[in-house]
Amino acid sequence: ANNNVEIKSTDGGSGTSGNIQVNDALSWSSGTGLTLNAINNIYINKLIDASAGNGGRLVLKFGQGNANGYVTDSSGNPTTTLADYYLGANGKVNLQAGANFATKLGGEAQVEYTVITQLGAAGDESRSDAVNSLQGLGYTSRLGGNYVLGADIDASDTANWNEDGSGNKLGFKPIGSNSNRFSGRFHGLGHVIS
């Protein structure tokens, strides 16, 4: 409730694999952060929820047993498998909008993500201030950014967006185009856009 917490896996010795597994639901709302720091992989098999109250921040550090981010075997030797984080069938991460998620693979720099929790509105792709809007990802300067979903998004309202001048509704504007493509990272964290 009052402090940031970091949980680290063991180094893969004594019969352990150096993974972290979240096998029970976890929630907090105090605005503090949780870091999961794994020698190998992180498996999120239940809900992690930091979306209520003051929210919270989640940082996933995986592949920390090898500077290149590769998984190590039971003897501590790097394999040919790159470490990662995985969401199981019941795994999901709920976060508040903003800078509340980051990842770090091995010795690489930490990657900061913007959490998206709302659809936004028609025209957000043209607005510089629509930073936490799904439609706002289409703004030119955001096409190379890093984003995750912090909640499910119902996009049914887009059926009435963007008339073409002949009375036809074109709906959600694509994020990027053939000449100016989305080149960033986008992860659902177990969420859906419907």
Side-chain angles (χ1 to χ4, degrees), residues 39 62-72 78 82 104-109:
I39 296 297
F62 41 90
Q64 298 303 296
N66 184 289
N68 296 320
Y70 284 93
V71 173
T72 54
L82 198 62
K104 185 176 188 321
L105 172 63
E108 292 183 3

Side-chain angles (χ1 to χ4, degrees), residues 46-134:
K46 294 290 184 178
L47 175 66
I48 296 177
D49 190 348
S51 63
N54 293 322
R57 177 173 162 82
L58 179 64
V59 178
L60 303 179
K61 296 180 179 182
F62 41 90
Q64 298 303 296
N66 184 289
N68 296 320
Y70 284 93
V71 173
T72 54
D73 61 23
S74 59
S75 301
N77 301 313
T79 66
T80 58
T81 305
L82 198 62
D84 208 339
Y85 68 94
Y86 302 92
L87 287 112
N90 296 313
K92 184 185 280 193
V93 178
N94 292 345
L95 297 166
Q96 290 186 0
N100 291 316
F101 184 76
T103 61
K104 185 176 188 321
L105 172 63
E108 292 183 3
Q110 185 163 298
V111 178
E112 299 290 332
Y113 291 81
T114 298
V115 179
I116 304 296
T117 59
Q118 56 188 308
L119 176 62
D124 277 1
E125 73 281 356
S126 302
R127 294 180 45 211
S128 62
D129 62 340
V131 294
N132 294 323
S133 150
L134 184 63

